[in-house]
Amino acid sequence: MRGDLFVTDCPSRQVMDRIGDTWSVLVVHALEDGTLRHGQIAARIGGITPKMLTQTLRGLERDGLLVRTVYAEVPPRVDYALTDLGRSLLGLTRALEDWAETHIEEVDAARTAYDARTAGAGTTGARAPGPQVRAGSVQRRAASRK
């Protein structure tokens, strides 16, 4: 059976909400290379709060995208790893990462142009908060991963 995202109460919309969420995409991508602990995931994903990471991990576990393994040690150890279903998302997360990093300068230029056009049209003209990108930084990061 296949869902239909355009139907209001279709459960596939909940799945789309999960996999389209920024934090979920980043967690899945962070777990690409294998099992990590909560603190390791947090360190890999800048800006995520512990509460948001916990909520995201629980949601991904509930949806069957990752598995949480608790070890009976003192102190307890908890590991997170992608399931086969979660690994099936890696092509999408890589594509999203590549697109965002490749097109950030174009998006930033479009935002600047939009803000300049709308600054006197009753809007604040404020730019959305976000990291500033230095020319070439994306290309250097992409090259370092290869």
Side-chain angles (χ1 to χ4, degrees):
M1 186 173 125
R2 183 181 173 98
D4 185 347
L5 290 174
F6 294 100
V7 174
T8 304
D9 59 351
C10 181
S12 61
R13 279 200 185 184
Q14 295 171 351
V15 174
M16 183 61 80
D17 286 343
R18 171 75 58 224
I19 64 173
D21 172 69
T22 300
W23 298 124
S24 294
V25 169
L26 291 172
V27 167
V28 167
H29 200 62
L31 291 169
E32 177 177 15
D33 294 327
T35 301
L36 295 174
R37 297 176 73 178
H38 190 280
Q40 293 171 310
I41 298 168
R44 181 107 194 258
I45 302 173
I48 191 167
T49 65
K51 179 181 178 182
M52 183 54 65
L53 178 54
T54 297
Q55 288 176 351
T56 302
L57 290 167
R58 285 180 183 158
L60 291 168
E61 181 182 15
R62 180 173 186 249
D63 289 347
L65 301 174
L66 64 78
V67 62
R68 177 180 183 262
T69 305
V70 180
Y71 296 91
E73 300 175 355
V74 177
R77 187 178 96 211
V78 180
D79 288 340
Y80 297 90
L82 294 175
T83 62
D84 288 341
L85 184 61
R87 278 190 288 283
S88 73
L89 285 173
L90 289 172
L92 293 171
T93 64
R94 284 187 209 115
L96 287 169
E97 174 193 27
D98 184 55
W99 188 92
E101 291 179 350
T102 301
H103 296 284
I104 185 57
E105 291 176 5
E106 294 167 81
V107 171
D108 194 45
R111 289 175 177 171
T112 300
Y114 176 88
D115 292 346
R117 283 192 318 270
T118 61
T123 63
T124 62
R127 294 185 57 194
Q132 295 300 311
V133 177
R134 293 184 311 273
S137 65
V138 171
Q139 290 81 7
R140 283 192 300 277
R141 236 176 56 213
S144 71
R145 282 197 303 267
K146 293 179 182 176

